[in-house]
Amino acid sequence: MARRRDPEGRMPLGEHLRELRARILKSLLAILVGAGVSYAFFNPIWSILRRPYCQVHQPHSIATTANGCGDLVFSSVFDPIIWHLKVAAIGGILLASPIWLYQLWAFVTPGLHKNERRYALQFVATAVPLFCGGATLAYFVMSKGLQVLLNFAPAGTVSLISIDHYLTYILAMLLIFGLSFDIPLLVVLLNRIGILSYRRLAKSRRISYFLAFVFSAVVTPSGDPFTMLALGVPLVVLLETATQIARIHDARKARAPAATAYAHLSDDEPSPLDLSTG
């Protein structure tokens, strides 16, 4: 007999852990399917992923290919297999982003009121384009970040960049930029459910912007100033956009008639009675 879910989302710790495990397994399965599809299109995906590296001018590279790309090296007989699997994994994560982002939301929603769970579709419909937008920005700034780093190489040195390190760098950049672009969406959702007000967001605006740049400096894998600014500036713009959305939402909420004062209550929760006019 299936166990009935608590309408308020309360459950023992063991059930929370089982719920988390189920969500993770669904996300991994979706990524695995996406990776299988990406593996079938390995050559065009690898060509796209390699392009930022080809745009880097490398005076210290040991050799260049016919199209001007510096050589990427490997030192193990198993590296080509790992190389194919990593490229497939990158494609799988991007293709499955709508599913694992939804699973992330679905794990949070049991603790929300019924009228707050309607934000699920809005969350996924907004989170996926933001994630893809961040990943796209990362793709276009990677060549600049690599160029800055390689320019520090002194004369008389040779760059031997391994395929494994390069793919790790790409995966980190795509995930960090993509997930960072979803942070302002979390701010909007916390405002919608009454946890963060516009007044609090406006009061902490300066510290939020400062922390956004600190966050960008810490999480970017290259650590160069260009990549930090490439993430920090859009993140500040998105945070300000989230703050203005919160301002509009709180203003509408303040103008709402008194009859909607109990709109936050669930359908089966009684509103308080006013006995002062009895």
Side-chain angles (χ1 to χ4, degrees):
M1 181 177 179
R3 186 168 183 173
R4 186 178 179 183
R5 180 183 290 272
D6 190 323
E8 294 297 325
R10 294 185 295 265
M11 63 178 69
L13 177 61
E15 290 192 21
H16 273 297
L17 295 177
R18 284 191 289 272
E19 174 85 5
L20 177 61
R21 181 180 62 184
R23 299 295 178 189
I24 292 176
L25 288 176
K26 291 178 182 178
S27 299
L28 291 178
L29 180 60
I31 293 174
L32 184 62
V33 173
V37 175
S38 300
Y39 190 87
F41 296 93
F42 169 81
N43 287 329
I45 294 176
W46 168 241
S47 178
I48 293 173
L49 294 179
R50 192 185 182 190
R51 194 169 300 158
Y53 184 77
C54 293
Q55 295 172 349
V56 177
H57 174 63
Q58 301 183 66
H60 305 296
S61 179
I62 192 171
T64 57
T65 57
N67 60 0
C69 287
D71 282 336
L72 289 166
V73 302
F74 62 93
S75 58
S76 170
V77 294
F78 298 106
D79 281 353
I81 298 176
I82 298 175
W83 173 19
H84 280 68
L85 294 178
K86 277 196 171 184
V87 170
I90 292 173
I93 291 172
L94 295 177
L95 288 177
S97 59
I99 296 177
W100 57 260
L101 283 170
Y102 173 79
Q103 295 301 323
L104 174 64
W105 172 260
F107 180 69
V108 177
T109 50
L112 302 179
H113 292 292
K114 185 183 297 184
N115 66 318
E116 293 169 344
R117 297 173 193 168
R118 68 179 184 273
Y119 297 130
L121 292 179
Q122 298 178 22
F123 173 83
V124 176
T126 309
V128 173
L130 284 174
F131 178 84
C132 293
T136 301
L137 177 62
Y139 177 80
F140 285 108
V141 304
M142 276 190 290
S143 59
K144 296 295 184 182
L146 286 171
Q147 187 70 70
V148 170
L149 293 175
L150 292 177
N151 283 341
F152 282 99
T157 60
V158 176
S159 61
L160 293 174
I161 300 176
S162 71
I163 297 173
D164 182 65
H165 288 165
Y166 178 66
L167 290 177
T168 300
Y169 171 74
I170 289 180
L171 180 58
M173 286 285 290
L174 295 178
L175 286 179
I176 288 171
F177 272 69
L179 293 175
S180 296
F181 271 45
D182 281 331
I183 293 176
L185 177 60
L186 178 62
V187 173
V188 172
L189 291 174
L190 291 177
N191 171 257
R192 289 291 181 91
I193 63 179
I195 296 178
L196 274 178
S197 65
Y198 166 71
R199 180 177 299 180
R200 180 179 297 180
L201 290 172
K203 186 177 180 181
S204 59
R205 179 182 276 119
R206 290 184 179 179
I207 187 65
S208 298
Y209 294 170
F210 172 75
L211 291 177
F213 281 105
V214 172
F215 171 80
S216 301
V218 172
V219 301
T220 49
S222 60
D224 63 278
F226 178 84
T227 306
M228 181 198 74
L229 291 174
L231 177 60
V233 172
L235 188 56
V236 166
V237 173
L238 289 173
L239 286 172
E240 180 59 30
T241 303
T243 301
Q244 294 305 316
I245 293 175
R247 179 182 64 81
I248 296 172
H249 175 262
D250 287 1
R252 288 179 178 177
K253 189 176 180 181
R255 292 195 302 265
T260 63
Y262 307 117
H264 65 284
L265 300 177
S266 60
D267 297 337
D268 56 352
E269 185 175 353
S271 62
L273 297 176
D274 185 3
L275 303 178
S276 62
T277 59

